[in-house]
Amino acid sequence: MDERGSAIFSDTGDVEWLEGIIIDVSDRISAEEKVKQYMGELESFNRLALGREKQIISLKQDINSLLVKLGQEPRFKSV
C-alpha cells in the first residue's frame, strides 16, 4: 500500500484537518515481479543461444581446418 496524506495543525499543535489517500499497488508489484522473472529467463536463454552459436562457429572452423589438411577448399565462411 502507498499511503499519502496531509494534516493541518492548529496553533496548539492539535490536528484540525486530516486527509489522505491509500493506493493499492499490489498489481503493479506483481507485474514488476513477473517482468523480473521474464528478464531472468530471457537472459538465461540468451546465454544458452550465444554459447551454442560459439560452439557452431568453433565446429565450422574445425571442419574447415580438416578440409584444408585434406587438400580441399574450406566449406564455411569465417565470421
Side-chain angles (χ1 to χ4, degrees):
M1 294 283 182
D2 185 9
E3 299 177 22
R4 299 177 190 198
S6 61
I8 298 175
F9 297 94
S10 67
D11 293 338
T12 62
D14 296 326
V15 176
E16 287 187 0
W17 180 260
L18 180 63
E19 66 179 6
I21 195 168
I22 297 174
I23 302 170
D24 183 0
V25 292
S26 56
D27 288 341
R28 178 179 165 187
I29 291 170
S30 176
E32 288 174 353
E33 288 172 358
K34 284 182 183 180
V35 167
K36 287 178 186 177
Q37 176 187 349
Y38 294 146
M39 288 299 294
E41 291 173 5
L42 183 59
E43 287 173 9
S44 294
F45 175 78
N46 190 37
R47 282 192 301 274
L48 178 68
L50 287 175
R52 186 175 180 139
E53 185 65 25
K54 288 178 182 178
Q55 287 177 333
I56 290 172
I57 290 169
S58 177
L59 288 172
K60 287 179 178 181
Q61 291 170 341
D62 292 346
I63 291 169
N64 280 343
S65 294
L66 291 171
L67 288 171
V68 169
K69 286 180 183 178
L70 293 172
Q72 299 179 22
E73 291 292 316
R75 190 172 293 170
F76 301 104
K77 293 181 180 179
S78 295
V79 206

